[in-house]
Amino acid sequence: MDVIKVAATSRSTAVAGAIAGVIRETGQVDVQAIGAGAVNQAIKALIIARGYLELDGIDIVCVPSFVEVSIGDQERTAVRLSVEKREQEPGTGI
Amino acid sequence: MDVIKVAATSRSTAVAGAIAGVIRETGQVDVQAIGAGAVNQAIKALIIARGYLELDGIDIVCVPSFVEVSIGDQERTAVRLSVEKREQEPGTGI
């Protein structure tokens, strides 16, 4: 399972490229961020990635959750954005 | 169309209650935030709202986008989280 870790200093276009790449290959990717600055960069990257993937006819949705992660000997609460292709309604083409 | 506006100072549980309420009533709601602190609160609220709605058997997904908004005479770029019920695959029950 791929996890893309995003920091407040991450470039959102670079993260967007990584998200789009994994989605094209596997259809699913988890994006993880700790702190407001990192969560903001992750969401911006996701919006940019939607634009990239739209060109390939791929629509994505995101399901956010909290996850506990260990950093050194500290427990931190991270935001995980589970990004996946949107389920299409059969026959409607939307 | 309902839009819930979130600030960096918004209480995430209060926003979560508002999101869950509108989803129960209409199945869709837009959440809008400007700036990293507000986007972070919005995502946290969304995660909490997922927990509330799970108890009702409702699963939600989110589609983020940028929107230009006017505040006074200034143009600002906001993050809009379009929250909707997840499409179910017919017959699978998931």
Side-chain angles (χ1 to χ4, degrees):
Chain A
M1 173 77 77
D2 279 294
V3 177
I4 297 173
K5 291 178 184 167
V6 181
T9 52
S10 298
R11 275 199 311 126
S12 48
T13 49
V15 177
I19 293 171
V22 180
I23 289 286
R24 280 190 199 102
E25 229 172 277
T26 72
Q28 201 279 332
V29 67
D30 283 350
V31 180
Q32 189 173 295
I34 298 174
V39 169
N40 189 46
Q41 285 310 99
I43 290 291
K44 282 160 64 179
L46 197 52
I47 297 172
I48 297 166
R50 289 197 89 235
Y52 295 164
L53 290 165
E54 211 168 49
L55 303 173
D56 305 316
I58 298 172
D59 190 18
I60 52 174
V61 296
C62 129
V63 178
S65 59
F66 292 124
V67 288
E68 297 300 317
V69 296
S70 297
I71 297 178
D73 55 359
Q74 286 202 319
E75 280 281 296
R76 296 288 301 275
T77 300
V79 167
R80 178 163 293 180
L81 305 171
S82 176
V83 183
E84 53 193 70
K85 288 190 195 179
R86 185 200 289 268
E87 300 299 336
Q88 299 197 342
E89 289 185 61
T92 61
I94 51 166
Chain B
M1 174 77 79
D2 279 295
V3 177
I4 297 173
K5 292 178 183 168
V6 181
T9 53
S10 298
R11 276 198 312 127
S12 48
T13 49
V15 177
I19 292 172
V22 180
I23 288 287
R24 279 190 200 104
E25 228 172 277
T26 71
Q28 202 277 333
V29 67
D30 284 350
V31 180
Q32 188 174 295
I34 297 173
V39 169
N40 189 46
Q41 286 309 99
I43 290 289
K44 282 161 64 180
L46 198 51
I47 297 172
I48 297 165
R50 290 197 89 233
Y52 295 163
L53 291 165
E54 210 167 51
L55 302 173
D56 304 315
I58 298 173
D59 190 17
I60 53 174
V61 296
C62 129
V63 177
S65 59
F66 292 124
V67 289
E68 298 300 316
V69 295
S70 296
I71 298 179
D73 55 359
Q74 285 202 319
E75 280 281 296
R76 297 287 301 274
T77 300
V79 167
R80 178 164 293 183
L81 304 171
S82 175
V83 182
E84 53 193 69
K85 289 191 195 179
R86 185 200 290 270
E87 299 300 336
Q88 300 197 342
E89 290 184 61
T92 62
I94 53 168

